[in-house]
Amino acid sequence: MEEQSERKFPAFPFKPYSIQVDFMNALYQSLDRGGISMLESPTGTGKTLSIICSALQWLVDRKEKQISENAADSSKNPLGSDDEPDWMKNFVASKETPIEEKKDIKNKLGHRSMRFTKNRNKKPFGELFNHIGEGEEKDKKNGKGKSDGEELNDEEFLVEEYESEEEGSVGCGQSKRKGGGVYLSSSDEEKDDGFDDEDEEEAALKIYFCSRTHSQLSQFVKELRKTVFASQLKVVCLGSRKSLCINEEVLKLGNAGRINERCLELQKNKKDDVSKMKDLGAGGRIRRTKVSCRCPMLQKHKLQKQFRREIYQEDSLDIEDLVQLGRRIGTCPYYGSRSMVPPADLVVLPYQSLLSKSSRESLGLKLKNNIVIIDEAHNLADSLISMYDSKITLSQLERVHSQIGKYFERFRNLLGPCNRRYIQTLMVLTRAFLQFLHLENSKGDANTCSEGVSGAKSANDGSMAINEFLFSLNIDNINLVKLLRYIKESNIVHKVSGYGEKMACLYNGSTLKDGDESYDEGSSLSAFQALADMLLSLTNNDGDGRIIISRRPTGSGQEGGYLKYVMLIGEKIFSEILDKAHAVVLAGGTLQPIEETRERLFPQLTPDQLHFFSCSHIVPPESILPVAVSRGPSGRCFDFSYSSRSSPEVVEELGLLLSNLVTTVPEGIIVFFSSFDYEGQVYDAWKASGILSRISKKKHVFREPRRNTDIEVVLKEYKNTIDAVSNGDLKANPTLHINGAILLAVVGGKISEGINFSDGMGRCIVMVGLPYPSPSDIELIERVKHIEGLGETNSSKASQFDEHYNSDVKAGFGILRSCKRRGKDYYENLCMKAVNQSIGRAIRHVDDYAAILLVDARYAADSTKGSFSHPSNKLPQWIKARLVSKTNNYGEVHRLLHQFFKFNKKRGTQQTQASFQS
């Protein structure tokens, strides 16, 4: 204990506060100990910098220890010493030789690591669409390729013969090659597309740090640059293609899914430059084909090497820096950064890249005996399982079914029996899904699922277990595992979609260009991907998730019918990370209640095996004023419950409250609403009544945009207004007396997650109501039902709830009221975690100060009343300890605010004068 208390963290750029030292010691001990730990530090306490200085100090210390231990072992028993037995020397030599031989063989054969060709998707089957273009290469081997400018032939879309297990093939089903020479790409040219990183040695030990958003990762890198570790360690920051792509033709597609598809398409569709035969002696001859990636940013391997060299020379780069560097050099920063993962000491990456198994494999992330730090982990369980959801819409099903049908009609007589059977199975499945959503029976084919559909529920929305769904559609006898294997190995997806695109182009009177694809939301590849994802989800265990069925008609601005699989079990997914890593650390500003996280992600651990640490806030009590506001200026009670929040009286009273606040609160006010729809409703009502005009006379009004791409502009304008007021140079009509700005934001939106409003940017945070999620959300209620039944038998679960909940608010509330503990706690936690995240946007450093107004009578209600626990019990301790929980009228609130800002303004002036004198 004495050694731990005296541990130093020299990389910390200034003298740390005592709570920061405590946090760093706790983290260091957690990494030493291994296993799972949860570390809580309030926002604004320097949590990120503390994580960096502690974790990276541990990394440096551990590596130095390993080096010294290896040196000691070498000195005791040096390789080749006279006393070493000959058999040991020979064993070591023979053990090392195959490794070099493997590398040599990989280089000779032009082997490409599959991890750089897997898709971005959220589940192992995500790599299905990484085989774009393979069919073309196979056809070329059989002499079916086309020369440039030659019209496409239908035969190129004919899927190769396929043998399944029962047809005599060894192992799994596979496509048969139809003869011809063996074609291999030139190993030299393979390097030209930026995927070769065989020369990079894997770091012996590394830390993976992940957070939810790219902005949070950029903030982490900025904090890292304040320390010596930025130049001492190899650091790489990973991001999505959408964030890192510099190919303007791809980037302009906008949607992340379309960008991913197009990127992979360009890599797979390579153009032949030179083709020649190479004599292998007695072994025969192979044809080597020089190829180049059709993406101009991946054609020169030298530029990728230059990209890596310059990153090594620079201090740690964030995503924006990588994009600028890639543009300057003229090479892809996305694949350039991925190629640096093996030698990196620290990998900074988003949630999806680490938590999704297919993404980890694609990126080549090796967790074994390494460190995983997950920041912003307050909603980790929900974030994790949502990555394994799948969804297919009615329009996607119709597109897939139509294209498969046309393909089968065209090539029926040319297909082998195995291909015919699998394609017909796909047609049966898509027809069954369509009939289930349409609630009508198809005519014609005898293989319909009309019997299953006729017995299905007639409600527009509902949910079913996997087995119930399969039996209802009469498709429970289909081997989905073998079907998925066929889809992956036969290249049927690209044959069918390619033929469909050609037919569509011919029908529309246009020509099909090489590699052309319709990259809208209804593209063939996206539709087939959605089908494959859904089929994969149906192979899960019956209790792992639920099928959500929506039969809503398509309307203007409304989504039509769809099928969606919702994963409910996070334990098995997270265990893949927990079992491999030496230590997993969950960090955040508010992680409590930790029991819910433990039960959902690592229930095998007893509470005493879970290491939890929490520290207080660095700000003094007088720097924060949290107040529960139950009544407005007119004396009306604030009731923002679902049934009352839209009443004109409540909306007007809220407007009167804001009209008073803008005269009392200096600089910036952030107002959080429960949803975009409710914010829009309130804004329109204020505009019509003239309240908005009254507010605008004191503060400029800004609104959070729905589109994330527009947020930066709004935040910049908001900040500029605050800065202008603070500097006294606001150019406005003096008669208006503008004293700042007000920003109307949404709980769960971009602004509530990871945006810091320090100092004048957030002098007052107003939380409007309790943002409970709507009980009409079927996915939410299914999760509540599952969590309530954790640890119970399936029979007891079934008897506890109505299994056919159909998106009804009253029914949803009924289910919540019937919950005894876990489900109700989960529902409340969702609300209060969102509140805590939002109000945590203010108070970002020790000298900061802000007021927090919790506007709803329920914040001040008697905790003994009602079926739910008191909201204040789930506030962060540093806020709860200072909460003014009851005020008789708004006059008391106004007086508290006036005194609070007067005191802190005077204190700030004194601190400024003292700093000048010193």
Side-chain angles (χ1 to χ4, degrees), residues 159 408 411-427 486:
V159 68
F408 186 72
F411 296 102
R412 178 198 298 263
N413 296 329
L414 301 177
L415 294 169
C418 192
N419 278 318
R420 279 201 303 269
R421 184 171 65 254
Y422 278 117
I423 292 174
Q424 286 177 314
T425 301
L426 283 172
M427 293 171 64
Y486 169 77

Side-chain angles (χ1 to χ4, degrees), residues 214 750 785 799:
H214 287 127
K750 182 83 171 180
K785 288 158 60 176
S799 62

Side-chain angles (χ1 to χ4, degrees), residues 180-323:
V182 180
Y183 283 63
L184 297 173
S185 300
S186 165
S187 60
D188 294 333
E189 289 300 320
E190 271 296 307
K191 295 178 181 179
D192 284 349
D193 57 347
F195 296 97
D196 179 35
D197 71 333
E198 296 296 333
D199 56 337
E200 298 285 7
E201 183 180 352
E202 183 79 26
L205 178 65
K206 60 168 50 99
I207 292 177
Y208 295 98
F209 175 90
C210 72
S211 194
R212 283 183 299 170
T213 65
H214 287 127
S215 62
Q216 289 168 342
L217 297 179
S218 294
Q219 181 63 32
F220 177 87
V221 174
K222 287 181 175 63
E223 294 294 304
L224 177 62
R225 290 176 187 153
K226 298 177 182 179
T227 72
V228 297
F229 295 125
S231 57
Q232 289 181 352
L233 300 176
K234 291 182 179 180
V235 181
V236 60
C237 188
L238 302 180
S240 64
R241 286 183 174 89
K242 184 177 181 181
S243 299
L244 288 169
C245 178
I246 59 173
N247 185 332
E248 296 299 333
E249 290 300 313
V250 176
L251 198 57
K252 70 181 182 181
L253 295 172
N255 178 271
R258 287 180 282 173
I259 290 174
N260 288 335
E261 286 178 8
R262 187 57 175 162
C263 175
L264 293 171
E265 174 93 3
L266 289 176
Q267 292 171 45
K268 286 296 184 177
N269 284 343
K270 297 169 180 282
K271 295 181 178 179
D272 297 346
D273 291 337
V274 180
S275 181
K276 60 181 180 179
M277 299 297 293
K278 182 176 180 180
D279 195 349
L280 296 181
R285 307 173 74 202
I286 65 170
R287 183 176 298 278
R288 300 177 70 97
T289 304
K290 284 190 176 183
V291 294
S292 61
C293 182
R294 293 179 61 228
C295 179
M297 302 304 165
L298 279 174
Q299 290 181 348
K300 295 182 179 179
H301 181 62
K302 292 181 179 179
L303 296 183
Q304 282 282 295
K305 281 193 171 183
Q306 180 185 347
F307 182 85
R308 290 197 289 267
R309 281 197 307 270
E310 295 206 19
I311 290 183
Y312 287 145
Q313 294 169 2
E314 298 280 345
D315 287 347
S316 306
L317 302 180
D318 62 15
I319 292 174
E320 290 76 14
D321 298 326
L322 292 173
V323 169

Side-chain angles (χ1 to χ4, degrees), residues 125 162 165 171-174 422 480-490:
F125 201 69
Y162 185 85
E165 293 176 4
C172 64
Q174 56 186 354
Y422 278 117
L480 295 178
V481 174
K482 292 180 66 175
L483 178 62
L484 286 166
R485 184 188 302 145
Y486 169 77
I487 294 173
K488 180 178 179 180
E489 295 178 356
S490 67

Side-chain angles (χ1 to χ4, degrees), residues 20-39:
Q20 293 170 333
V21 174
D22 294 340
F23 183 91
M24 288 188 285
N25 274 314
L27 176 55
Y28 197 102
Q29 294 167 26
S30 297
L31 300 183
D32 256 348
R33 184 171 46 234
I36 182 77
S37 301
M38 299 179 71
L39 277 68

Side-chain angles (χ1 to χ4, degrees), residues 499-519:
Y499 178 75
E501 292 299 330
K502 177 192 174 182
M503 292 298 99
C505 289
L506 292 177
Y507 179 80
N508 294 328
S510 59
T511 59
L512 183 65
K513 298 180 181 179
D514 186 27
D516 219 8
E517 175 62 76
S518 174
Y519 284 90

Side-chain angles (χ1 to χ4, degrees), residues 64 81 98 100 222 243 572 626 659 796 831:
E64 289 177 352
S81 61
E100 297 301 320
K222 287 181 175 63
S243 299
K572 292 185 291 186
S659 299
S796 62
C831 170

